[in-house]
Amino acid sequence: MKMLLLCVGLLLTWENGRVMGEELVSDNELQEMSLQGSKYINKEIQNAVQEVKQIKTLIEKTDEERKLLLNTLEDAKRKKEIALDETRDSEMKLKELPGVCNETMTALWEECKPCLKQTCMKFYARVCRSGSSLIGRQLEEFLNQSSPFYFWMNGDRIDSLLENDRQQSHILDAMQDSFTRVSSIMDTVFQDRFFTEEPQDTHYFSALGLPHRRPHHFYPKSRFVRSLRLFPSFGSLGFPDMFQPVLEMIHQAQEAMDTQFHGPDFHFPNMDFTRDNDAHTVCKEIRHNSTGCLKMIDQCDKCREILSVDCSASNPAQAQLRQELNDSLQMAEKLSQRYNELLWSYQRKMFNTSSLLEQLNQQFSWVSQLANLTQGEDQAYLQVSTVTSHTSDSDTPSRVTVVVVKLFDSDPITVRMPEEVSMDDPKFMDTVAEKALQEYRRKQQQE
């Protein structure tokens, strides 16, 4: 009977969570531990709110940087278009002049074609390695239909420049469309009172940094805010209903941004006119319409001679126009390359904004979950239920302190503290609370 009573007594003591080796942890000690742990959680909640608002500030700063970059882009675009117009104008004037040196260029072209075809086919067979016979017939037809005058005027460079200009405009339009939709959503999100109200007196703010006693001021443009006008304070609201619209809008903004990155609109063309395109690009151009072979003209003597034909003796005006064409073409290529670099910078701003939106989504999601669980400043966010001591199962036995806690509305969370972290350590409950919070957030993310 004595043994039975002893066992019952131990079980009851165990259930009350106050056994630690041979020492008892009193109710007052459990309450003090809960209070210390709650202070740490409260600090982390405040940090989370501040991080949300810092992310908001970063998003706004990134948007301002984007606007400045867009002004630079528009200026670069104007200069590029002027150079393109001058190039097209020179090209048209050159085409309108009576043909000269035709016999010389035609003879060189007939000697150029076999070399160009052979050079291109060797490259294709060595690097591209697919469908060489079909490409050979396609290339021969392309060369027979081409004119030496086209090369003499650098027609391939002009066509490439115009195509790149078209692609650049398409890419910028796609990015602008994405930013416009995201900006519209985020303007509404940031008008919400969570982002617009700042603490004036800590007495009037809960652990979340949210006012719960003073009246509020609303921004009428926010659909989310309009739905809350009848409520004098957060205390009377259902927190999930209050935060869910904001979460949904943040998710919409993130989705609008990310969708663009997975589409064809962001496949930038190669616009570096200062060096040859990479092998993959040349292979693609050869398969598409054989224009990639024109990049190999420099490897054939007779082809190079076409470019160096001088017709100034019979037509000085033609020589002058050709020089003007080359000058404007070089300037247009230089400005197109600069414009392309700015487009890349603009796209990096998009990636940066997308990353910040993802952080905002994750952090605000956690804050909104906590908002449903916080009642006021005196609430204990963390409750210590049991503190026990065990010997570890390792080859080198050591004492492990096991603390079982409840965090907000969670199921019991078990935290194991090594022997070297003593309960007498002032940071003991900070460490327990930190580990419990990590486990709580991990489970929240999995749900």
Side-chain angles (χ1 to χ4, degrees):
M1 178 63 71
K2 291 182 178 179
M3 182 62 70
L4 178 60
L5 290 174
L6 177 60
C7 290
V8 171
L10 287 174
L11 286 172
L12 289 174
T13 305
W14 183 279
E15 287 179 0
N16 287 333
R18 295 193 290 272
V19 174
M20 181 177 178
E22 297 179 356
E23 298 179 8
L24 294 179
V25 179
S26 68
D27 286 336
N28 288 339
E29 288 175 313
L30 286 175
Q31 291 176 6
E32 180 62 27
M33 293 172 72
S34 298
L35 179 60
Q36 291 300 318
S38 293
K39 287 181 178 179
Y40 176 87
I41 299 299
N42 181 61
K43 182 178 67 176
E44 288 302 299
I45 292 173
Q46 293 179 24
N47 289 340
V49 172
Q50 289 305 312
E51 284 184 28
V52 167
K53 295 188 176 182
Q54 286 170 7
I55 294 170
K56 167 187 177 285
T57 301
L58 287 174
I59 290 175
E60 292 174 332
K61 180 182 177 183
T62 300
D63 192 52
E64 289 301 316
E65 293 172 350
R66 177 191 66 83
K67 290 175 183 176
L68 291 174
L69 182 56
L70 181 60
N71 291 335
T72 305
L73 260 173
E74 290 174 346
D75 183 60
K77 183 178 182 179
R78 283 192 295 270
K79 293 178 180 177
K80 181 189 70 168
E81 288 177 345
I82 291 172
L84 279 172
D85 288 342
E86 290 177 352
T87 300
R88 284 191 289 258
D89 185 57
S90 297
E91 181 188 25
M92 292 301 299
K93 289 178 180 178
L94 197 57
K95 286 180 178 179
E96 290 170 359
L97 288 178
V100 293
C101 304
N102 286 345
E103 292 183 3
T104 302
M105 276 195 272
T106 299
L108 290 171
W109 177 235
E110 290 305 315
E111 295 183 71
C112 163
K113 286 192 291 185
C115 173
L116 187 57
K117 179 181 177 181
Q118 183 181 25
T119 301
C120 187
M121 291 307 299
K122 283 183 178 179
F123 169 85
Y124 192 87
R126 185 181 74 254
V127 177
C128 308
R129 300 178 181 177
S130 64
S132 295
S133 58
L134 177 63
I135 294 300
R137 293 192 297 272
Q138 177 181 301
L139 174 58
E140 187 167 351
E141 182 179 352
F142 170 76
L143 294 176
N144 288 334
Q145 293 176 351
S146 300
S147 163
F149 192 68
Y150 175 79
F151 304 118
W152 188 72
M153 288 198 310
N154 290 305
D156 56 324
R157 288 170 60 191
I158 296 173
D159 289 347
S160 178
L161 189 63
L162 294 175
E163 174 60 20
N164 287 334
D165 179 63
R166 185 193 67 79
Q167 292 186 46
Q168 286 173 333
S169 296
H170 180 68
I171 289 169
L172 180 60
D173 288 344
M175 287 194 288
Q176 278 296 90
D177 178 65
S178 179
F179 260 125
T180 298
R181 285 184 287 142
V182 170
S183 295
S184 176
I185 294 170
M186 296 315 295
D187 282 348
T188 303
V189 169
F190 290 153
Q191 285 170 354
D192 181 74
R193 59 181 166 179
F194 178 90
F195 295 102
T196 57
E197 299 225 7
E198 295 294 336
Q200 303 296 321
D201 184 342
T202 56
H203 176 69
Y204 291 95
F205 285 78
S206 68
L208 273 175
L210 303 174
H212 60 87
R213 296 182 187 177
R214 286 182 173 175
H216 306 290
H217 305 284
F218 296 96
Y219 284 73
K221 293 182 179 180
S222 172
R223 173 180 61 83
F224 170 62
V225 168
R226 288 199 304 270
S227 68
L228 302 179
R229 280 187 170 182
L230 298 176
F231 297 95
S233 69
F234 284 162
S236 59
L237 293 177
F239 283 104
D241 295 335
M242 185 181 69
F243 281 101
Q244 191 60 34
V246 180
L247 277 171
E248 288 176 359
M249 285 188 285
I250 294 173
H251 180 70
Q252 288 171 11
Q254 187 181 352
E255 197 173 61
M257 186 73 75
D258 292 345
T259 299
Q260 293 287 347
F261 296 141
H262 302 295
D265 294 335
F266 287 91
H267 293 172
F268 275 61
N270 187 334
M271 296 177 222
D272 188 351
F273 301 102
T274 62
R275 58 181 175 82
D276 290 338
N277 289 21
D278 61 86
H280 174 75
T281 303
V282 175
C283 289
K284 182 179 178 181
E285 290 179 344
I286 293 173
R287 281 192 291 267
H288 180 60
N289 57 12
S290 300
T291 54
C293 291
L294 302 182
K295 301 181 185 302
M296 304 172 197
I297 285 179
D298 287 344
Q299 299 182 39
C300 297
D301 293 340
K302 297 301 180 181
C303 298
R304 287 198 303 272
E305 287 183 31
I306 293 176
L307 299 176
S308 60
V309 169
D310 183 3
C311 301
S312 59
S314 56
N315 194 331
Q318 192 178 58
Q320 180 180 350
L321 280 174
R322 190 186 181 206
Q323 184 60 49
E324 290 177 1
L325 173 63
N326 287 337
D327 291 345
S328 61
L329 181 58
Q330 289 178 7
M331 178 58 68
E333 288 175 342
K334 180 180 178 181
L335 291 172
S336 288
Q337 180 60 31
R338 170 59 180 158
Y339 189 76
N340 193 49
E341 292 168 356
L342 290 171
L343 277 178
W344 274 111
S345 298
Y346 199 75
Q347 190 186 50
R348 283 195 294 272
K349 289 296 176 190
M350 290 194 71
F351 277 113
N352 190 27
T353 300
S354 180
S355 175
L356 289 171
L357 286 173
E358 182 178 359
Q359 292 179 45
L360 183 64
N361 186 43
Q362 292 174 351
Q363 198 72 354
F364 190 80
S365 176
W366 185 61
V367 168
S368 66
Q369 289 169 359
L370 294 180
N372 189 39
L373 304 168
T374 55
Q375 301 296 323
E377 295 176 5
D378 298 330
Q379 178 185 352
Y381 304 125
L382 181 146
Q383 293 280 354
V384 180
S385 57
T386 65
V387 180
T388 59
S389 180
H390 297 281
T391 302
S392 66
D393 298 329
S394 62
D395 295 336
T396 307
S398 60
R399 303 295 291 177
V400 176
T401 303
V402 179
V403 185
V404 179
V405 305
K406 285 197 68 174
L407 189 58
F408 305 115
D409 63 342
S410 73
D411 293 330
I413 298 173
T414 301
V415 177
R416 288 175 171 80
M417 302 293 289
E419 186 175 23
E420 57 268 21
V421 183
S422 168
M423 283 186 61
D424 296 330
D425 188 329
K427 298 294 184 181
F428 178 83
M429 279 310 300
D430 284 0
T431 307
V432 170
E434 179 183 11
K435 290 178 178 292
L437 186 57
Q438 289 173 353
E439 179 64 13
Y440 177 82
R441 295 189 66 176
R442 184 186 67 80
K443 290 181 178 179
Q444 289 292 319
Q445 291 171 358
Q446 291 177 347
E447 293 178 357

